[in-house]
Amino acid sequence: MPAVRQRTGDEPVGAVADPWTEYLAAARQLDGVRRAAATAAVEQARAVEAAREELVRVHARLAPQQARLRELGVPPISLTPTPPELTEAARSMVGGPAAVLAALRVARSWADAADATLATRGPLRPSAWPPRLRNLLVYGPLALLVPLAQLAAFVVAGTGAVSIAALALGLPMPAVAFAAGWVAVGRVFPAGTGERLDRTPRLGASTCLVPAVTVAAGIMLAMFRG
């Protein structure tokens, strides 16, 4: 067995204590590095998870905004990032999950500002309205042209031949108004690229038919009474 080295009486105490002190210091330093690495790993994992959640929230905000901007007539190419913007976005990701999280939060603040802008300006444009309300602006005036003309003829000519002729000529007019409205909706509110235009045919048919039937029935009832 190897001989155990023992401190002799004339050997200084520091000769044995110094290596042990250095060992303890190195162990404490190593433990500090290990703890710091573990803390950094935990913080990085939290940052990655937070960045993923923020990305989901931002994407959920941007998707309806993109659809709404297309309804407002913004071309799809204007909604696609340009190469310099992609380069700048990639550069922001070099800083790690924390930098990505900060960039996503900035993007969410921009989305909030865009929502506020659309909320204040969007409803003023009919193209941003729901299809039923928007198309009513087209079908409504066309549906009222012939009934108003029939009513004016009856007021002026009374129960004579002019009123009867106006009623007869007005019979096919609801179908003509509906066809004209169908074409006009496509011209006034064209669909975006890859989208299908909702012409709300049932609403258009009822809008063109109800005024014509109501006015014609009222005029005929007044003529019978007269």
Side-chain angles (χ1 to χ4, degrees):
M1 294 180 63
V4 179
R5 181 175 179 270
Q6 297 181 353
R7 182 176 65 88
T8 59
D10 57 351
E11 185 177 359
V13 178
V16 178
D18 288 344
W20 176 250
T21 302
E22 294 176 358
Y23 168 76
L24 291 179
R28 286 193 297 268
Q29 184 177 3
L30 180 61
D31 184 66
V33 172
R34 180 187 62 81
R35 291 175 181 271
T39 302
V42 172
E43 292 178 354
Q44 185 174 10
R46 291 177 179 174
V48 170
E49 185 64 24
R52 289 176 179 174
E53 295 177 356
E54 190 70 21
L55 179 61
V56 172
R57 287 193 290 265
V58 172
H59 185 270
R61 297 287 301 281
L62 294 181
Q65 283 185 0
Q66 186 178 30
R68 189 172 180 184
L69 288 173
R70 287 181 177 179
E71 291 179 357
L72 295 174
V74 179
I77 191 172
S78 299
L79 302 175
T80 304
T82 61
E85 291 174 340
L86 292 175
T87 302
E88 183 65 24
R91 187 179 304 169
S92 66
M93 296 182 183
V94 178
V100 174
L101 178 59
L104 289 172
R105 286 174 176 171
V106 171
R108 184 156 59 93
S109 66
W110 291 346
D112 293 337
D115 278 339
T117 302
L118 291 175
T120 55
R121 299 183 181 180
L124 299 178
R125 300 183 59 181
S127 58
W129 295 358
R132 295 175 64 86
L133 184 60
R134 177 193 66 195
N135 295 344
L136 192 61
L137 295 177
V138 178
Y139 290 117
L142 293 174
L144 293 176
L145 287 177
V146 174
L148 290 178
Q150 292 174 338
L151 187 60
F154 175 75
V155 171
V156 174
T159 58
V162 176
S163 297
I164 296 175
L167 288 176
L169 292 175
L171 291 177
M173 287 298 104
V176 175
F178 173 72
W182 178 278
V183 176
V185 167
R187 297 291 181 85
V188 178
F189 306 113
T193 305
E195 297 180 354
R196 180 177 177 274
L197 178 63
D198 187 4
R199 286 186 166 89
T200 58
R202 293 183 179 179
L203 174 67
S206 61
T207 301
C208 295
L209 185 61
V210 170
V213 172
T214 303
V215 172
I219 293 176
M220 291 178 64
L221 182 61
M223 292 176 65
F224 288 149
R225 288 182 178 180

